[in-house]
Each structure stands twice: as structure tokens, then as C-alpha cells.
Amino acid sequence: MHLRDTALESTAQKVDDARTDSQAALTTSKFIHRKILIRLLLGWLFLSIMIGGVVLWLEINRFQQFIQALALKESATLSTESPYNLKQLDASAFQHLTNLAQQLVNQHFLVVELYDLDQQLRIEAVRQGQEATEYSIDRYRHRFPKQGEFSHKFHFINDKLLLVVLIPIKGSKNTFSGYFEGIYQVDQQTQDKIKHELLRTLLFITISITFTTLLMYPIILTLNRGLIKLSDDLLKGNLELMNVLGCAIAERDTDTNNHNYRVTYYALRLGETLGLSRGDIRNLITGAFLHDVGKIGIRDPILLKPGKLTPQEFEIMETHVSLGVDILSKSSWLSGARDVVEFHHEKFDGSGYPQGIKGKAIPLNARIFAIADVFDALTSKRPYKDSWALDDAISMLKKDSGSHFDPQLVNTFVSLAPALYHEVSGMKEHQMVTMLQRRIAHHFLSTVK
């Protein structure tokens, strides 16, 4: 009967472990899928803006050239070779040119002006009711170009697309006799056509990029299946590495792995509440797992001594800090844990060890962890003591605020402590592992600092 119960318990444990691994893998997979979707969305947005912007610029230039061609074609009667000397116009020539200017004004030009080589206005025709438009354009008055040069400028005034052209006029023997200036109005039909073609082109580009992005998603997922599995394995492997090193000591020192999980969870939640960067959170998690890793080098008679240590024995016990730093130096991936491992026994008033530093000189992660470590030690049952009540543990933290602990961090932690304590108390080890894996997955998988 006893053997059957043992077998049933073993089977149940394996099922729980399998469920834990499955849930952790699912958490990792969901996270990577979400990252792929976010990056595809950002890529879609970037391409839409960039390609859409380039296409818009090209299309606008194309339509500008089209409008220029219309304006030049219509103004050809005045801007091409003319036998008239604009400086010396007789009544007949003046009337003839004025009639031509008026014909242009009756078509698409709002204003037509002829200037002589001295840039003096000789002939002007303005469409009736468009005096205000001429005044508006005059605010952006041009500079006359060098002889033989053509200039143009677009304006959008009162929902009207206007093109101001300045064209040199050729006289006899291919000499220049003056300038033709006109304000050409793009008719509503052409303007609507331009607008619709632009919108249609941009819509086509956006739809094309969207479909391309949607097609890329399953392709990227297919290519990254191996990466997703590898990422999950790496996360599990890293956690197991920290777990093996940290819990090897926890089992010797506290007779339970749960201490490492709880204290890591407390420190993590406090760090998140304080708004630490993702990189600092990673280092805090690693440091919490490995905070006492140096105790692996302390002999059992001292480490497991039930009574008070002698001064000589305490000096030996203190060396677990330097031993831990030395262990971490063998791995670049674990080096971020050093602040916690090296300084979590320092006290805010400078009475701690190994260096006796105080205040904000103690690294933040070490100050955070010190509170989480003592809180869990007080509220946990050990072979040599009973667990403290939650209120008593909080009172002790407040009492040592300013001496042992950073007062600001204590104030923040005591507001979190009741909820965190009730959340983890009574949790089995595999439940704690699952919760931690879910909580820390995005901190370790994300490349964002």
C-alpha cells in the first residue's frame, strides 16, 4: 500500500512537472510570437511611411510637371518669340498684347503680366473678382531670374491650386525682350483627378505592404520555430543554472528551495514597483537566486552550526561574499549578479560587511534584496525557529529602517508585503517555479534595455 501511494505521488509529481514545463514553454512561445507581431507591425508602419512618402513625392512631382506643361502650352501665345519691343510699344501693339493677355485670363490664368527687361510692368490682365488672389500671391513675390531662366512656384490658397510661372520672352534674333508672368489656376476637374490618383496610389501601396507583411508572418514563424524552442530551452537552462547553484546552498543552509524562489519574487516585485530598467531587473533576479552562492565554500561545521558563531568562525563565514564574487567571475552571463552577492550584507548605517559602506553608496539592487531576504527569513519557519507573524515582520523592517535598510525602500516594500506574502504562502515548489518563469520570461528574453 505504501509503495502504491509512493508511486501515485511520483506520477502526480511528474504530471505537475510536465504541466510546469508546458506552461513555461507556452509563456515563452507567446512572448516570442508577440515580439514578432510587434516588429512586423513596426516594419509595416516604417515601410508604409517611407515608401508612401517616396511615392507621394514622385507623384507630386509628376503632377507638377503635368501642370507646368499645361500652363506653358496655354501661355505659348505670349511667352514664345515676339516681334514686339516691350520697352517701346505703340498703341496697336499694346492693344494686341492686352487682348492676348485677356484671352489667357478668360481660360485658366487668373493674372497675366508682361515685364520689360528692366523688370517694369508693361501689360497686366486680371480676371474679374481675382484681385484678392493677386494680392495673396504678391506676399510671396518672386525674384526675377537671370535672362533665359524659367521659374515656377506652386501655392495652395483658398482650396485652389495655383502655379505662378515666370517665363523669359524671346524677341527678334533670339534675344530676350522681357518676362511673362502668369498665375495659372488648376481647374477643379484636374485638381480632383490629381487628388484621386494620389489617394488611389497611396492606398494601393499600403494594401500591398499590408498583404506582404501578413504573408511574412507565417514564413517568419516557420523559420523561427527552432529559435522559439531554443529560446525556451535557454531560458529554462539559465533558470536551472541559477537554481542549481542557489538551491544547492539553500538546501544546506535553510533546508528548503522555496526560500530562493520567494526571496527572488519579493525582490523582483519591489524592483518592478520602483521602475527599474529591464537590465537592472535581470541582474536583480540573478543576484537573488545566487545571493549566497559563496557559502558553497564554507565548511559544514561552521555553516550548519546551530549555536552562535565565534569571532573566528564569523570571519570565516564572512568570506562567503568574496567566494561568491570569485564564482561569478567565471561567467560573464552571471556577472550582473555581483552587486547583490557582494553587497547584500552591507547596512544602510555602514555597520555591515564586507566593506562597511553606507547609504546610497550601497548598490540599489543590494539594498532591495536585503529587505526581501530579511523579510522572508523572518516569515519562514526554519529548523531553529518558528515563522514570525506578518505584522511582526513588517514592524521589524520599520524598526531597522535607516539603520539596516534604506528607509525609502522599506516604505515601498511594506505597502506591497501583505499582498505578496499571502500570494506565495502555502505555494508548492513547482507552483512557485511556474509563477517565477511566467514573471521573469519577458525580462530575460527581451533585448530592450
Side-chain angles (χ1 to χ4, degrees), residues 7 88 118 126 355:
Q88 300 174 348
D118 294 330
V126 181
Q355 298 183 23

Side-chain angles (χ1 to χ4, degrees), residues 6 9 74 127 198 211 246 322 394 408 420 424:
T6 302
E9 289 178 2
E74 194 166 316
R127 185 185 297 180
L198 278 175
F211 273 107
S322 59
I394 290 176
Q408 294 180 341
L420 296 180
V424 302

